[in-house]
Amino acid sequence: MASLFVLGAATPALATPHATGRPAAASAHHRAPLPTSYTIPGDKTYPEGIARQQGTPYFYVGSTADGTIYRGDVHQPATRVFLPGGEDGRTSVAGMKTDRTGRLIVAGGATGKVFVYDTRSRALLHVFDTGRTDVFLNDVALAPNGDAYISDSTHPALWHITAAQLKSEHVQQPLHVGVDLSHSPMLYNDGFNGNGLVVTGDGRYVLLADYNDYAFYRVDVRTHKVVRVDLGGAEGVSGDGLLLRGDTLTAVTELDHPEGQISVLKLSHDYTRAKLVRTVHGHGMHSPSTAAVDGRDLLIVNFQFQITNPHLPFDIVRADLQ
């Protein structure tokens, strides 16, 4: 409610001589074009988060309606159930990420929990619990050191899971506040506040979107200082989902834009200023929530939040915005 990796194309096969000594006709085997969209089962799914698992053909997407997690293969046009909804108390899911070890880290929305699964065995590895009922754990971002940060849309906190906790054999663990935002410049009001987030390449800062206020904040995870990012007067820039590649911040939203809006911003070296470079609409978006990087492309989730008669089937669209 996140560096570009180019997918390697198949290398053309070299011509080999026939037994007669005559050269074979040169032929090249090209990988079939990737699907332009990926369908998600169900007419009440309302998918929100997505995680692209590097080194594999897989991506994962979850249902806010019942907590089902689906897995897709980038070469196949349909996703399949990976983990049924309701298991492990997972009745709703929002943002998610996969880490280098193959763990799937899932924000559980109003459940107040973060669920962690092994993508190979589907085994539940951890449940991190806030113990609160006034929270909405919205999105997940991974730091270079293996830590995870989770945004909260209704409670003024940036939650934190350490790499050591993720390696622990303990399944049930408390979810701790990493940075208290209650006395920061980021004001929490009714509705959705903290939303999309990313960790900078040096691991020093979290860039956090304030969905309500069309604002972005730089959160120092060492000093806990929070600074509003100066957008240079740009208006209408919102971030449900965020991607960071070098000094380029990409923000996906449906706020005020049911057709979807992607904003591309260039950041200053200290991440306190941003310049809006361009705004993108279309590309098959229907009230999108977030996106994941797949080679040159983005895989964009069509959430269709609170739309009574959604455009079916629910899907993820592939878009090359280069």
Side-chain angles (χ1 to χ4, degrees):
M1 337 173 13
S3 66
L4 285 175
F5 297 92
V6 177
L7 292 175
T11 304
L14 298 177
T16 57
H18 288 298
T20 61
R22 295 193 300 269
S27 62
H29 299 286
H30 297 287
R31 187 186 295 255
L34 295 171
T36 57
S37 66
Y38 303 89
T39 60
I40 304 169
D43 58 3
K44 302 292 183 183
T45 306
Y46 295 98
E48 205 273 355
I50 186 172
R52 175 70 174 92
Q53 187 173 15
Q54 297 300 327
T56 78
Y58 301 126
F59 63 88
Y60 302 85
V61 62
S63 167
T64 56
D66 66 4
T68 300
I69 296 175
Y70 302 87
R71 183 165 74 179
D73 182 319
V74 294
H75 305 103
Q76 303 296 327
T79 63
R80 299 176 183 274
V81 173
F82 180 70
L83 295 167
E87 289 186 345
D88 310 314
R90 181 177 27 83
T91 55
S92 179
V93 295
M96 56 183 66
K97 292 292 185 295
T98 51
D99 68 10
R100 292 186 294 268
T101 69
R103 288 180 289 240
L104 176 64
I105 304 167
V106 182
T111 68
K113 299 175 181 178
V114 172
F115 304 89
V116 183
Y117 294 92
D118 185 325
T119 56
R120 300 174 186 87
S121 66
R122 293 179 166 84
L124 175 68
L125 300 177
H126 305 292
V127 177
F128 295 96
D129 193 348
T130 63
R132 305 183 67 112
T133 59
D134 60 342
V135 300
F136 190 94
L137 305 184
N138 197 316
D139 206 354
V140 179
L142 301 179
N145 67 353
D147 288 5
Y149 292 90
I150 299 92
S151 63
D152 193 324
S153 293
T154 57
H155 180 70
L158 177 65
W159 300 90
H160 181 211
I161 301 171
T162 67
Q165 287 178 294
L166 288 169
K167 293 177 182 177
S168 168
E169 294 182 357
H170 296 288
V171 176
Q172 301 290 335
Q173 298 186 57
L175 182 58
H176 298 294
V177 173
V179 180
D180 183 351
L181 301 174
S182 59
H183 300 293
S184 76
M186 184 175 175
L187 301 179
Y188 270 62
N189 302 304
D190 291 340
F192 282 84
N193 299 272
N195 208 322
L197 77 168
V198 289
V199 183
T200 58
D202 57 6
R204 176 69 184 271
Y205 304 110
V206 169
L207 303 180
L208 176 60
D210 183 342
Y211 193 66
N212 262 349
D213 294 339
Y214 300 87
F216 300 85
Y217 291 87
R218 189 199 73 176
V219 182
D220 190 319
V221 298
R222 299 180 193 169
T223 67
H224 295 187
K225 183 178 180 181
V226 180
V227 176
R228 182 165 180 159
V229 177
D230 181 356
L231 298 181
E235 298 181 351
V237 180
S238 175
D240 191 340
L242 298 183
L243 301 170
L244 181 63
R245 296 164 286 182
D247 63 352
T248 300
L249 182 68
T250 302
V252 182
T253 190
E254 51 77 40
L255 189 62
D256 295 338
H257 296 279
E259 78 283 10
Q261 174 173 292
I262 296 177
S263 302
V264 180
L265 304 108
K266 284 291 183 182
L267 295 162
S268 63
H269 72 281
D270 62 355
Y271 308 104
T272 61
R273 300 183 307 281
K275 179 181 179 181
L276 180 62
V277 176
R278 60 191 176 115
T279 302
V280 180
H281 300 96
H283 293 275
M285 291 189 285
H286 297 285
S287 296
S289 54
T290 190
V293 174
D294 184 46
R296 290 175 52 89
D297 300 340
L298 295 184
L299 302 179
I300 306 167
V301 183
N302 280 328
F303 182 16
Q304 303 188 77
F305 179 53
Q306 293 185 331
I307 294 178
T308 304
N309 297 305
H311 176 84
L312 295 176
F314 286 102
D315 65 356
I316 296 162
V317 292
R318 174 180 291 277
D320 180 357
L321 304 184
Q322 301 299 311

